[in-house]
Amino acid sequence: MKKLFKKRIDPSEDITEFYNFILNNTDYFTDYVQHTPTKQEVREEFLIDVPPNINLQNKEVFGIYNQEELIGFLDLLFHYPDDSTCMIGYLVIDQRYRKQGLGQKIYNEVVTYLSKRDISKVRLGVIKDNIPAVKMWLPSLTE
C-alpha cells in the first residue's frame, strides 16, 4: 500500500463516493441499523449532523485514501463539549484494510493535527458492543 492521504469530504460533491463506501462496509449497518440508508440519510448522519447548539463549521470529515480509493473516513468535532476538546465521532476503515495498524496510525496523526490547533483533550464516541472498535481504541485510551 502506498502512502495514505486525507482530504476533507464535501457533503455535496463527494456524497456518491462516500455513500458507496458506507454501503460496501455493511458491518456497521447490519449490526446496528435495520435498513439500508438513503444517500440523504448517510449525508445527514455522517457529514452534517452535529449536536444541538454546535456550529457545523466545528465539524471536519476527512476521507482516507489509498491512491484514488476511499478506504476510510474520520469525523472530528472541534470545541465539543468545551473549547479545549475535540470529539472523534467516527473513525471507519474499509473492512479489507482493517487489522493493519491504520486506525492507530490515523489516530496518531489526529493527535498531532489537534495539538497544532491548541486542542488538549480528545473525546471518543464508540459503540461499546462494537468489540473490534473497542479493541482498536484500548491501546490509545491507556496512554
Side-chain angles (χ1 to χ4, degrees), residues 3 6 60 62 74 76 78 86 88 103-122 137 140 143:
K3 183 175 169 127
K6 293 167 280 310
E60 294 182 4
F62 291 93
L74 170 70
L76 300 175
F78 288 87
C86 179
I88 299 175
Q104 187 64 49
K105 177 181 176 187
I106 291 163
Y107 173 74
N108 293 341
E109 290 178 16
V110 166
V111 169
T112 300
Y113 175 61
L114 297 179
S115 68
K116 292 176 183 174
R117 296 199 48 185
D118 294 323
I119 298 293
S120 60
K121 294 182 277 185
V122 177
W137 285 114
S140 300
E143 293 177 352

Side-chain angles (χ1 to χ4, degrees), residues 21-31 70-72 92-100:
F21 172 83
I22 295 295
L23 292 186
N24 287 331
N25 286 276
T26 57
D27 58 333
Y28 175 83
F29 288 104
T30 57
D31 290 347
L70 178 64
I71 65 164
V92 178
I93 305 293
D94 186 289
Q95 293 165 317
R96 298 168 296 148
Y97 292 90
R98 293 181 191 164
K99 298 185 180 180
Q100 299 178 29

Side-chain angles (χ1 to χ4, degrees), residues 71-82:
I71 65 164
F73 75 96
L74 170 70
D75 167 50
L76 300 175
L77 188 59
F78 288 87
H79 311 296
Y80 182 78
D82 56 55

Side-chain angles (χ1 to χ4, degrees), residues 28-73:
Y28 175 83
F29 288 104
T30 57
D31 290 347
Y32 308 112
V33 178
Q34 301 302 314
H35 75 283
T36 300
T38 64
K39 274 188 186 180
Q40 185 61 28
E41 289 171 327
V42 165
R43 181 180 180 275
E44 288 174 8
E45 178 176 346
F46 296 102
L47 302 178
I48 62 172
D49 185 39
V50 293
N53 302 317
I54 299 297
N55 192 318
L56 183 57
Q57 291 177 336
N58 290 11
K59 183 178 183 93
E60 294 182 4
V61 181
F62 291 93
I64 302 161
Y65 292 83
N66 179 25
Q67 298 178 31
E68 299 295 318
E69 179 187 12
L70 178 64
I71 65 164
F73 75 96

